[in-house]
Amino acid sequence: MERWEKKMDTIAPRPRRTAFLLLVIPLTLLLIFGCTVQVHDRPTNPIPPEVPSRKDGSGYKSEHVFIVVMDGVRYSETFGDPTHRFIPHLYHDLRPQGTLFTHYHNRGVTVTRQGHSTLISGTWQTVPNGGPRLTRPTLFEYYRDEKRAPSTKGWSVFAKGPYAFEPYSSHPAYGSRYAGRHVHGGRQGDGLTENTPEGDVTVLNRVIEVMKTDQPDIVFINFGHTDHVGHVAKNIGEYHAAIRNCDEQMWKLWNAIQSDHHYRNTTTVFFTNDHGRHTHDFHSHGDHCEGCEHIMLLVLGPDIKKGTVIEREALQIDVATTAGELMGLQTPLATGRTLAECLTYYLELNRKEARTEAAHRALYLEQLADRNLIKAAADYVLATTKPEGVAANLIGEVLLRGMIHGQSETKEPRHLQFVQRWIDVHKHAKAIEQKAILGKVILELPSAVRKPYMDMAVQIGDRMLASPPDFADENDALIGGIFLGRLSEVTKRPRYEEPGLRMIKASLRQPDPKRPTDIEKAYELFLLGQAAALFRDDITVMKAYILTAAKALNRMKEDGALWDDPLVSVLDLCGIEASTRRGAMREFTQRREHDALPACVEAMTQQEMRALFPDRPRAPLRNLQNQLVQLIWERGKQGFPFSLDMLRYGVNEAGAYGNGSPAAQGGFLLSFKRLDWRYGGNTWPGPDSGKRP
């Protein structure tokens, strides 16, 4: 036995050596043949072994981006012209150094403000010329937020006036604190103008000056003379000459970039247009014809393919996203794609991720805003409020009318049943003020639903005619008069109309014993808007309404904005919306001939005008009246849809708007409306009515 054990001791190591060899030999063979396979299958166009890298590790050579706009020029006069006679530098000198997109389009609104706003935000924008700010963040805002860069690192230099572009958005997560520097034409003494060829030369000189003093990383440039000449030229030759001049400035800009050691070989430039011009009439633009939508895009830079022509369609929203990719920058709300086909290699750096507090907040707000907000707000009312707990007063009216209006969108019976239960609770109200509220609510019901309640509303109206109430409060008098006017409208019985108008006028003559708060002023506007909708031909009513509306709009921070108090915002918007919906504002929102003023404005006194515009104590009455009409146009018409749309950022996860009070919920339900993506009667964007941004 010992002999056997000794023998085993001598041979035991052999299996271990064999196992070792069995392990090593296959691994060696696998390594040899594996390496052979890898070498054999190497891609034909590999990423260079030494990928150029910026200091922040983004991987691209580009550290700066210039977006350069030749304003309002058709593709048929640039790269679509077989002779290229108007753009000799762009075609012969610059095209071989970069990538040309032959099917690049503005599928949005083909107007200056909208085109520039789309370019810099990467989202389709409908903000009109001279109107509100764009609704999504700009490249400047993304860059300053993510890179913690100072304002001098983003510059926009425009030949056109302030109507053409606003340098930061109205988005609540971004805005002015992330704005870049901006200079525009139209100011005396600085030479920036769209009216002369020299204006474009001044733009170039200002950009070169900024390059030396601030060394910005993002530069947005507008050469505006081409569009100006397109509108006013007596013959097309003047328009062509403006294109040649702009081509010269673009060529000089490229040379200035290449001669500056800070920008040379680290800058990508997008040469493009904001919009084109009508295919058959170069004097204008703004629709979806080929001439307006088909524009140029030539891209040059250290990461851009040279001498390349791409026929795949690219869109105006793609420029900002591509710029973000090259800068290693996230553009979380941009909807365009990266134009990877023009890059020498694509690293997918711009994933539109939220990497900052502002970006996280922006995505959170958009997620909340993308819900059916009307349903969310109406459901919140059902969850937190009982009909019997809602008083028959002005606050109750706002809530109940909001639920009625909301149900017209949600189509949910329970939202309307809430109102019907309230009517059943208050149908035996004794005070005439409460009965007037009850009658107003009944009259706002859908015709089929209000039919069983109409006898009740008529009885209230007849009682008011038989025994005219003596309202101590001016709002109660307004409510009573509006009820009678609306009753006349619904029943087609004129006998209620004149007493209603007298009641409203009597309320307007009552002196205000105290200085009203902003909320009290908002409730007054809420009622006067209804009165103006019913009696829009009465100068006294319209004058009172317009003065009250103008005071409210004057307190608004800017076009398309809201007021500081959420409740004030919805009440003011409700009042203006009521009058607008019924055509009471038609004289203010249509083009006026021969500087004619609306009759109610003609009736306003110097004292009333100076109280409205105290900063102009010596201005002539006519000037102040024109300023009033302009204020109503800019904020009560042009910017109004943007104000309504801004309300969507005020609804929380539970569906509460503002503080969730009954008046706030009702006001939101009554006033909120998303932006209508239409422009000039044409469905936007493009010919397909189903498209939305």
Side-chain angles (χ1 to χ4, degrees), residues 216-232:
D217 295 326
I218 300 175
V219 183
F220 192 24
I221 302 169
N222 166 261
F223 290 114
H225 186 56
T226 43
D227 184 56
H228 172 77
V229 171
H231 284 294
V232 303

Side-chain angles (χ1 to χ4, degrees), residues 69-219:
V69 178
M70 179 188 290
D71 201 314
V73 175
R74 296 177 292 203
Y75 186 76
S76 58
E77 273 116 11
T78 57
F79 293 98
D81 174 16
T83 67
H84 312 107
R85 62 191 186 278
F86 309 127
I87 55 164
H89 292 300
L90 283 170
Y91 185 78
H92 296 292
D93 300 318
L94 297 181
R95 179 189 55 83
Q97 301 183 55
T99 295
L100 172 66
F101 288 84
T102 59
H103 292 81
Y104 174 72
H105 294 91
N106 174 354
R107 297 293 192 194
V109 183
T110 54
V111 178
T112 294
R113 179 72 163 265
Q114 295 89 332
H116 285 88
S117 298
T118 295
L119 274 169
I120 201 66
S121 70
T123 60
W124 297 116
Q125 289 290 309
T126 61
V127 284
N129 282 345
R133 299 184 183 279
L134 65 169
T135 60
R136 293 293 183 273
T138 64
L139 275 176
F140 303 123
E141 292 165 81
Y142 288 133
Y143 188 72
R144 288 200 59 203
D145 172 43
E146 186 173 326
K147 306 299 182 181
R148 298 294 186 265
S151 62
T152 53
K153 292 304 175 183
W155 262 94
S156 49
V157 181
F158 272 55
K160 287 200 165 184
Y163 71 89
F165 178 64
E166 286 287 354
Y168 60 88
S169 72
S170 62
H171 198 281
Y174 288 91
S176 60
R177 62 187 178 278
Y178 299 118
R181 299 290 180 89
H182 176 63
V183 63
H184 57 75
R187 298 181 298 184
Q188 293 182 350
D190 63 1
L192 285 174
T193 178
E194 62 182 290
N195 297 335
T196 66
E198 291 74 24
D200 282 352
V201 176
T202 304
V203 168
L204 174 63
N205 292 336
R206 182 63 63 87
V207 170
I208 294 174
E209 176 186 335
V210 167
M211 288 166 59
K212 296 182 183 302
T213 57
D214 291 342
Q215 296 184 332
D217 295 326
I218 300 175
V219 183

